[in-house]
Amino acid sequence: MRQLPTPLPGVFLLAPEPREDSRGLFARVFCTGELAGLLAGRHVVQINHSRTRLRGALRGMHFQHPPAAEMKFVRCVRGAAYDVVVDLRAGSPTFLGWFGATLSPETMQTMVVPEGCAHGFQTLEPDTELVYLHTAPYTPALDGGVRHDDPRLGIAWPLPVAETSPRDAAFPLLDANYPGITP
């Protein structure tokens, strides 16, 4: 698989190299050997699956504070989603910058979200399903988030937001003194 860089350091799109024949195709979507440089000793410890029924629904922007900070590998297995990563890493040259890409079963790409970055997505089709691989277990006491509509971030969502959770809508706006996440 190919690691496609993005404008945010440490954020990649993984693009498989499918093999096709008359039966269909086969593609490797995750391999600890091929991704050893990215994983840098981390291990996948949890796999989650989400289904979002409504087109235009938004989930995010989520992260976990250290010491439960996690790297995520996010792949769309049904429908389509505009997947966004926001750099919250203190001292990063792209601090408060964001990157978004459309994930779908057709592209077969996986978004790599490093520790210290918030992640979220907006569904582009009804009944969109994503699978997430995490390098740390979910730790509610260290859960965090930023607002998807924070003017300091200026994320350009492709659709009007049709639905979000009360929890996600209640995340605070970032103030001018927001220090970022320190490992």
Side-chain angles (χ1 to χ4, degrees):
M1 72 188 71
R2 294 174 293 131
Q3 295 178 24
L4 308 175
T6 73
L8 302 180
V11 177
F12 292 89
L13 286 169
L14 301 179
E17 297 174 325
R19 306 285 188 250
E20 295 189 57
D21 63 22
S22 61
R23 299 168 294 171
L25 66 83
F26 175 87
R28 179 176 297 144
V29 297
F30 187 86
C31 175
T32 56
E34 285 186 49
L35 299 174
L38 268 179
L39 288 166
R42 300 175 195 89
H43 302 280
V44 172
V45 299
Q46 186 170 309
I47 301 174
N48 298 325
H49 184 138
S50 71
R51 177 182 301 135
T52 308
R53 290 186 174 85
L54 189 62
R55 179 180 185 262
L58 198 139
R59 292 184 187 256
M61 302 295 298
H62 306 140
F63 64 91
Q64 288 196 150
H65 291 279
E70 61 188 345
M71 175 182 264
K72 297 179 189 176
F73 295 83
V74 183
R75 185 163 187 260
C76 182
V77 295
R78 181 178 181 195
Y82 188 67
D83 203 65
V84 173
V85 179
V86 174
D87 189 348
L88 299 176
R89 298 169 289 189
S92 171
T94 56
F95 180 63
L96 300 184
W98 64 274
F99 171 76
T102 299
L103 302 181
S104 71
E106 290 74 31
T107 68
M108 300 178 71
Q109 292 182 335
T110 298
M111 182 76 80
V112 178
V113 183
E115 296 92 338
C117 291
H119 171 261
F121 66 89
Q122 183 178 46
T123 56
L124 303 176
E125 296 181 12
D127 295 317
T128 292
E129 298 185 35
L130 274 67
V131 172
Y132 315 66
L133 286 69
H134 301 259
T135 61
Y138 177 63
T139 307
L142 296 171
D143 191 33
V146 296
R147 288 255 301 270
H148 70 276
D149 59 353
D150 191 311
R152 286 198 68 201
L153 302 176
I155 300 170
W157 298 104
L159 301 172
V161 176
E163 180 179 43
T164 192
S165 73
R167 173 183 165 253
D168 290 354
F171 286 136
L173 295 174
L174 299 174
D175 67 29
N177 298 318
Y178 177 70
I181 298 172
T182 305

